[in-house]
Amino acid sequence: IAGPAIFEGTVRHRRFTPAKHEFEYALFMSWLNIDTIDEAMRASWLTSRNGWGLATFHDRDHIGDPDRPLRERLSQNAAAAGHDLPGGPVFLLTHLRYAGYVFNPISLYYCFDTGGTLHSVLADVSNTYGGRRSYWLRPGDDDPRRFRSVTAKSMYVSPFMDGEVDYEFVLTPPSDALVTHMNVTRRNGGERLFDATLQLERRPRTASAIRHTLWRYPLMTAKVMGAIHLEAMRLRMKGLKEVPAPEGRL
C-alpha cells in the first residue's frame, strides 16, 4: 500500500429489479497518501495541487474546510460521526479534476492503524444534485481477506432507487489489486436490488504512467458524468419510473 499509485480497471453496475440492466466501463482512479499529496502532485508537470494542470487535486473537492490539513478534516469528520481516526496511514482512492472538471460518485479513505491493519473506511458519496454524505465503515467480522460493513442509505442518489435500502460494502485489503463491491438491499437484509463493483489493478504513479493514463482516458470525470446520464436515459427507455427525492434528503 505504500506510496501513491494509479489504479486502473473497470466499474460494473447491475440492476436486478424491476427491470434488469447492466453496464461496464473502463476507468482509472488515483491512490494518494493524504499526508504526501503535494509530493505526489509534483510527479508530473501535468498535475498540481490547488493550481492549474490537466489533472489537479483541489482541497475544496474533498471533505471539510479546504484551508485545514486533510488529516485534520478527516479526524473532525470521524469524531462528528462518533468514530476515532486511527494513527496509521490514510490512503484516498478518488478522481482528480481533469481539465478543471470533477465529479466523484464515491471517494474511499482507507484508514490503517499503526500496525498496518485496515481499521476503518470512509465512503464519501456524492449525487448529481449537489448532495454529499459520509459513511464511516467498520468491519463486521475478523476475516483478513475482506472488509465487510453494512450501513443504512441516508441520501437520495438515484431517481430509480427506493430510499429505504441498505448499503453492504465488501472491500479487499488494497495490494496490487483492489476490489470494491457494494450491494444495495431492501432495509434489514432484504431483497438485493442493485450492485456495483470496482475491479482495479495497481500501476506505478510515475511521470510516464501519468502521461500514458491521461492519453488513454481523456477527461475521465466528464466521462463518468456522461455515463450516468446515458444509463439514466436507457433506464427510462425500459419504462422505469422515477422516485422523487424525499424533502431534505438530497
Side-chain angles (χ1 to χ4, degrees):
I1 62 170
I6 296 166
F7 272 96
E8 181 181 1
T10 60
V11 59
R12 182 191 69 186
H13 285 195
R14 297 186 299 179
R15 187 177 297 270
F16 303 105
T17 184
K20 290 187 177 181
H21 184 71
E22 179 176 344
F23 63 84
E24 183 175 286
Y25 290 100
L27 84 167
F28 79 96
M29 299 181 75
S30 292
W31 176 262
L32 303 167
N33 183 322
I34 66 167
D35 296 316
T36 61
I37 292 174
D38 285 339
E39 178 182 345
M41 292 299 105
R42 288 195 293 267
S44 167
W45 64 272
L46 295 170
T47 63
S48 70
R49 183 174 190 177
N50 296 325
W52 297 96
L54 185 57
T56 57
F57 181 98
H58 280 265
D59 281 277
R60 68 179 184 270
D61 298 332
H62 301 277
I63 62 171
D65 181 351
D67 294 326
R68 309 302 303 169
L70 186 51
R71 180 175 285 272
E72 180 181 322
R73 290 144 58 188
L74 197 62
S75 181
Q76 291 173 346
N77 189 283
H83 295 277
D84 293 322
L85 188 68
V90 177
F91 290 89
L92 169 60
L93 182 71
T94 192
H95 287 301
L96 304 180
R97 281 183 175 260
Y98 298 104
Y101 180 75
V102 68
F103 177 67
N104 265 303
I106 186 168
S107 293
L108 294 166
Y109 294 80
Y110 291 76
C111 306
F112 292 83
D113 63 24
T114 54
T117 299
L118 184 57
H119 172 275
S120 53
V121 173
L122 169 61
D124 182 19
V125 178
S126 298
N127 64 24
T128 57
Y129 307 96
R132 191 172 197 164
R133 288 291 186 279
S134 295
Y135 297 95
W136 280 95
L137 310 174
R138 291 297 311 275
D141 55 45
D142 296 324
D143 188 339
R145 298 167 300 176
R146 67 174 191 179
F147 180 106
R148 177 183 176 275
S149 185
V150 179
T151 187
K153 175 178 177 284
S154 62
M155 181 179 68
Y156 183 78
V157 175
S158 169
F160 305 102
M161 185 71 65
D162 190 329
E164 298 303 314
V165 298
D166 290 332
Y167 291 147
E168 178 194 26
F169 288 88
V170 183
L171 318 175
T172 60
S175 59
D176 288 338
L178 186 152
V179 176
T180 299
H181 181 78
M182 183 184 72
N183 293 312
V184 180
T185 62
R186 296 201 187 279
R187 188 62 44 86
N188 299 319
E191 174 189 16
R192 184 171 60 158
L193 307 174
F194 170 92
D195 70 17
T197 306
L198 274 171
Q199 289 189 293
L200 306 172
E201 294 185 356
R202 185 187 182 96
R203 306 279 187 261
R205 196 177 185 281
T206 62
S208 61
I210 292 169
R211 288 196 304 271
H212 172 78
T213 304
L214 293 176
W215 175 261
R216 185 175 180 186
Y217 301 94
L219 306 179
M220 183 74 253
T221 47
K223 177 183 175 182
V224 170
M225 181 61 81
I228 289 171
H229 289 292
L230 173 63
E231 298 302 332
M233 181 182 69
R234 288 174 173 169
L235 289 172
R236 292 185 183 100
M237 291 173 66
K238 289 185 176 183
L240 268 70
K241 295 182 179 179
E242 299 188 30
V243 179
E247 187 175 351
R249 289 283 294 277
L250 288 180

